[in-house]
Amino acid sequence: MDAVRVALLREVLAGTEWPSAARGFARTLRSSVVPRGGGLLLVGTEVYEPWHMAAHLVDESTWSGLPQLRPTLVRHRVDPDDPVHLAAGLGRIETAGRGETLLVVAPERPGGGLLERVHDARRAGATVLTLDGGDAEVRGLAHEALTVAAGAEVDLDTVQHLVSAAAGENGAPAPRGRRTFRDRLSRLADQLTAPPPERW
């Protein structure tokens, strides 16, 4: 989703909690990966792999100049002929520890021993963040959680767009103080879609 579409989405959701909630969660994500530089692991459930979130974070990592935002997508099933960037299985979570961040995207309660692995990674010092559908056990593992409950104005996919875009916007400035075209476009879109100032 490009900067203009994200700005329009924020305009549609103005007056709801979601734009500010996504920005707050993105700040937590960014602050957990940037100082430590230990890596970002992204995992979903057996039936929901967060492909789009992974792709958006790769883009945001490139555009914002924050390589730490580039996630390793951890998958429940890995085939021997999968390319290297898609070959991280659940065993990768078992090796996670201090300095690493684990982002769990779980619209429903995960099975397959994922929660136990996440719990062990947290005990080993990893920071655990969740984008979830409201499962109490998933939320209980998180240092920070953003929940999209059934019946919310948005779905989990939409919130992932908001979070990944905000994570990139909160990033470091481009090298030598120059703003990228994407930065300028995003700022212009935000200005064009901002509500008029209140007059007293």
Side-chain angles (χ1 to χ4, degrees):
M1 186 175 287
D2 60 40
V4 172
R5 288 183 182 156
V6 169
L8 292 173
L9 179 58
R10 287 177 180 148
E11 180 182 2
V12 169
L13 294 172
T16 71
E17 67 178 298
W18 297 108
S20 62
R23 280 194 168 109
F25 189 83
R27 274 193 300 273
T28 301
L29 171 62
R30 190 189 71 250
S31 66
S32 72
V33 297
V34 172
R36 298 183 177 118
L40 173 60
L41 304 177
L42 175 63
V43 65
T45 67
E46 290 174 296
V47 296
Y48 184 88
E49 282 194 332
W51 293 94
H52 283 99
M53 182 80 170
H56 289 305
L57 285 171
V58 167
D59 289 344
E60 295 298 335
S61 167
T62 301
W63 293 327
S64 67
L66 291 174
Q68 301 93 330
L69 283 176
R70 181 179 295 267
T72 297
L73 181 62
V74 177
R75 304 176 64 210
H76 287 255
R77 288 175 298 281
V78 177
D79 295 324
D81 57 345
D82 282 340
V84 173
H85 69 285
L86 296 177
L90 291 177
R92 177 62 183 89
I93 296 174
E94 295 171 6
T95 65
R98 190 165 306 284
E100 292 185 291
T101 300
L102 178 57
L103 175 55
V104 181
V105 181
E108 71 283 328
R109 177 179 292 201
L114 177 62
L115 293 180
E116 292 80 4
R117 288 178 171 95
V118 171
H119 179 263
D120 291 344
R122 179 178 168 136
R123 283 183 33 196
T127 300
V128 177
L129 309 176
T130 64
L131 283 171
D132 60 74
D135 181 82
E137 195 170 349
V138 173
R139 285 182 59 86
L141 290 173
H143 291 96
E144 183 80 20
L146 182 56
T147 298
V148 184
E153 299 95 336
V154 294
D155 60 17
L156 193 61
D157 287 336
T158 300
V159 172
Q160 290 176 68
H161 286 299
L162 292 171
V163 168
S164 58
E169 289 170 359
N170 291 332
R176 291 171 282 169
R178 297 182 61 199
R179 296 177 65 108
T180 65
F181 174 74
R182 178 176 159 68
D183 293 331
R184 294 192 304 271
L185 181 60
S186 178
R187 183 171 181 195
L188 175 62
D190 284 343
Q191 289 172 344
L192 292 174
T193 59
E198 293 184 13
R199 300 188 186 276
W200 298 97

